[in-house]
Amino acid sequence: MINETLNTAAKLQMALIVAEVSLSDLPRDTPYQNLELRFREWGFERGWGDTAERVQETMRSLSEVLQAPDPQNLEKFFSKLPIVFKVVVFSPHGYFGQSDVLGLPDTGGQVVYILDQVKAMEEELLHRIKCQGLNIKPQILVVTRLIPDARGTKCNQEWEPIIGTKYSHILRVPFRTDSGVLRRWVSRFDIYPYLERFAQDVTSKIQEAMEGKPDLIIGNYTDGNLVASLIASKLGITQATIAHALEKTKYEDSDIKWKELDPKYHFSCQFIADTIAMNATDFIITSTYQEIAGSKDRPGQYESHAAFTLPGLCRVVSGINVYDPKFNIAAPGADQSVYFPYTETEKRFRQFHPVIEELLYSKADNDEHIGYLADRKKPIIFSMARLDTVKNLTGLTEWYGKNKRLRSLVNLVIVGGFFDPSKSKDREEVAEINKMHAVIENYQLKGQIRWIAAQSDRNRNGELYRCIADTKGAFVQPALYEAFGLTVIEAMNCGLPTFATNQGGPAEIIVDGVSGFHINPTNGDESSNKIADFFEKCKANPGHWNQFSADGLKRINECYTWKIYANKVLNMGCIYSFWKQLNKDQKQAKQRYIQAFYSLQFRNLVRNVPIASDGTQQPESKPAGKPQSTQRRSQSRLQRGCLELKIPTGQQ
């Protein structure tokens, strides 16, 4: 943005004064092309703005930074600079695709989040590039795993344009082992042996596709964050991480009980990988404050990594500093072309109404739905999620079964999973399928419950929310813990009054008793009575339902849109790229520590995770073996039976 003419700060400040005086005499909409020759003589190149007004705003922001560099001035200035054009987003696990994937193992809200995130970021990048007066095409790559056995999806295609964008694509790269390309799906808990080689393979593919290095790398979940850390370190690129869900807080005492749980979940790998990634990254994107620091009743996801012990393996005494300025809150939204209020009748997807009518009310059992609703006049309470322990759909069904008052007021519709446990490869889902059948049988819910298999058509799902709203029903999110709660945002966008867990992000999305309701997932009687109370009030006063519908929608539009999110994230990318250059020496010292820990600890743990073989059932892993010799020396010194990890302070 400046040339060799301005080679000192004094010359820059003087040139800014001259330029601002010149700009003040021009019409605000004067194109930059009319100023370009004169400004180049003064030392200024393209990028300051596309009109005289925008050039003046950017130059004024820089003058303010040079005179008084406070945080507000810095953020305002860096948000105007052309720094980020090429973005890579990592999400290796599950089936990452744009259709027919939702509900498949390990495939849910994260896929929806990333696709909406990419569309919003591309739109914001195009807007910024135009305002900066540049003629550059942005590039966004979503990098995931190529799965040859794609189960009818496009997950076996290497390159796929992202629908609704011009310059964004999905790049799929397969997992490789010594035996060749792995064809089958692998659980997110068993993914660790493939990630390092995946990172190596991906690096060259990205540089080839982008014709150079990206400007910003964004990781998602444990696997994506670890791969992002490896590549960002190798290429020297600004890195962001998004946890979505740190498993350590989802499973009670999972650190203390790691040996017991490791054969199934490999938490030793996951907790160490999370600790490495959150310390290696330049900045962390969270959806809520609770995700960082928790509440008075529950520690935050990141706070739980500040100090913890894996008995017999290691003791983390300074895992993360939750006061580090790398932490940021940028709450996502929902695609408002899909999730819009039920009252906007002219926009409704009426082509889906016959299918949704059959989905909700037909009395036949088939591969897509079982159970039936005998009384169609009742409102519907509705929940949609993966069928796993934490999402607690079986818990909600049991609450409903126990509460006769609630059963007399509403019907229950559950969307999630399969009906036949033999169709699922996910260990938790199999157990939850069997439990759901048992609950329906025990409480004799036929005639009051409709269980619908996982749905992957987003447009139809959006209209399903609105059809539930037509019945004057409600959405219930009963998770034992929810990092954010994208379905909560979707439901409120559609005008559905919403009851959501008080454990995690939904407690911030919803203002209890104003824009929705908090429910306690560990107290089913209290929660089901709260829902019943609401519907009794609605029965007496129909305006009560309308008020909560309108207030929920108001809350979303004020705080939870993708436009707000994209602006925040790209601002972060610009600001932290600056700080990365400024603190390069400190960052390198910390990276050396992290690389040593990765090599000495994480690689050893990964050896305990079995490698999947195509055509056979993935074997259960054995409990972690004896610690390595480096660990035994630390054990002797500490006399605590564990290796002590302390991330260097002052370099967070």
Side-chain angles (χ1 to χ4, degrees), residues 401-526:
K402 288 180 178 179
N403 194 317
K404 292 181 180 179
R405 183 165 64 107
L406 183 61
R407 290 172 66 171
S408 70
L409 290 165
V410 296
N411 291 316
L412 175 64
V413 171
I414 296 289
V415 178
F418 299 98
F419 312 132
D420 182 354
S422 67
K423 290 185 177 181
S424 176
K425 295 181 182 179
D426 187 279
R427 294 171 289 230
E428 268 194 37
E429 187 177 47
V430 169
E432 289 297 295
I433 291 169
N434 291 326
K435 184 178 177 182
M436 182 70 83
H437 284 295
V439 170
I440 292 171
E441 182 67 28
N442 289 345
Y443 293 99
Q444 299 181 355
L445 295 181
K446 286 188 177 177
Q448 294 181 300
I449 186 172
R450 179 69 134 195
W451 181 9
I452 300 170
Q455 299 294 301
S456 59
D457 187 325
R458 293 182 68 204
N459 289 325
R460 194 169 83 175
N461 286 346
E463 193 59 28
L464 178 59
Y465 281 115
R466 289 184 286 273
C467 288
I468 302 295
D470 290 337
T471 74
K472 299 300 179 182
F475 183 75
V476 184
Q477 208 278 27
L480 300 176
Y481 182 81
E482 184 63 57
F484 179 62
L486 198 55
T487 53
V488 172
I489 298 289
E490 292 169 355
M492 293 170 72
N493 255 311
C494 294
L496 263 178
T498 301
F499 295 79
T501 179
N502 61 7
Q503 300 297 314
E508 290 181 40
I509 297 172
I510 292 171
V511 180
D512 189 31
V514 177
S515 54
F517 301 92
H518 297 164
I519 53 175
N520 183 351
T522 62
N523 191 332
D525 291 342
E526 175 189 277

Side-chain angles (χ1 to χ4, degrees), residues 93-95 104-107 145 147-149 151 182-190 424-427 612 614 618:
H93 75 259
Y95 292 82
L104 293 176
D106 289 339
T107 309
R145 180 197 167 197
I147 308 175
D149 293 342
R151 294 179 64 172
L182 184 65
R183 298 186 58 82
R184 50 164 290 185
W185 165 82
V186 176
S187 166
R188 70 186 190 276
F189 295 118
D190 303 326
S424 176
K425 295 181 182 179
D426 187 279
R427 294 171 289 230
D614 290 316
Q618 192 165 355

Side-chain angles (χ1 to χ4, degrees), residues 188-189 221 246-257 261 264-265 267 270-271 298 386 388-390 428 481:
R188 70 186 190 276
F189 295 118
Y221 194 68
L246 292 168
E247 302 288 347
K248 187 170 171 297
T249 52
K250 289 169 66 175
Y251 294 84
E252 190 175 359
D253 297 330
S254 51
D255 48 0
I256 301 299
K257 299 176 181 176
L261 298 169
K264 185 176 182 180
Y265 296 112
F267 281 149
Q270 184 154 24
F271 299 166
R298 187 186 185 102
R386 291 193 315 273
D388 63 27
T389 305
V390 175
E428 268 194 37
Y481 182 81

Side-chain angles (χ1 to χ4, degrees), residues 349-359:
F349 305 148
R350 297 193 178 278
Q351 69 271 25
F352 293 122
H353 284 192
V355 178
I356 292 173
E357 171 79 12
E358 196 275 338
L359 200 64

Side-chain angles (χ1 to χ4, degrees), residues 37-103:
L37 290 177
R38 193 187 339 162
F39 271 62
R40 184 171 292 158
E41 289 174 5
W42 292 339
F44 299 108
E45 300 292 338
R46 281 178 169 268
W48 294 90
D50 62 335
T51 64
E53 181 182 23
R54 289 202 174 103
V55 173
Q56 189 173 29
E57 285 176 359
T58 307
M59 289 185 167
R60 191 168 292 158
S61 291
L62 177 55
S63 296
E64 290 171 355
V65 167
L66 292 172
Q67 293 169 25
D70 64 78
Q72 285 185 330
N73 286 339
L74 277 170
E75 182 170 354
K76 181 181 176 183
F77 175 61
F78 282 115
S79 69
K80 299 177 183 297
L81 294 187
I83 295 175
V84 176
F85 302 109
K86 300 176 181 179
V87 181
V88 175
V89 180
F90 284 100
S91 181
H93 75 259
Y95 292 82
F96 195 101
Q98 300 179 80
S99 61
D100 303 320
V101 297
L102 297 181

Side-chain angles (χ1 to χ4, degrees), residues 287-334:
S287 299
T288 64
Y289 174 81
Q290 284 200 31
E291 194 175 335
I292 306 169
S295 64
K296 63 180 181 180
D297 301 317
R298 187 186 185 102
Q301 290 191 61
Y302 285 96
E303 185 184 17
S304 73
H305 288 74
F308 64 94
T309 299
L310 301 176
L313 181 64
C314 67
R315 181 163 65 94
V316 177
V317 297
S318 181
I320 189 67
N321 175 12
V322 293
Y323 299 102
D324 195 307
K326 71 166 64 177
F327 281 101
N328 302 269
I329 298 172

Side-chain angles (χ1 to χ4, degrees), residues 365-417:
D365 287 354
N366 56 34
D367 289 340
E368 196 169 21
H369 51 72
I370 60 174
Y372 66 94
L373 307 179
D375 186 350
R376 292 186 50 162
K377 293 180 181 178
K378 287 183 184 178
I380 292 172
I381 59 170
F382 165 61
S383 193
M384 179 162 56
R386 291 193 315 273
L387 199 58
D388 63 27
T389 305
V390 175
K391 295 298 183 183
N392 199 31
L393 293 183
T394 54
L396 170 62
T397 307
E398 192 161 14
W399 302 351
Y400 178 78
K402 288 180 178 179
N403 194 317
K404 292 181 180 179
R405 183 165 64 107
L406 183 61
R407 290 172 66 171
S408 70
L409 290 165
V410 296
N411 291 316
L412 175 64
V413 171
I414 296 289
V415 178

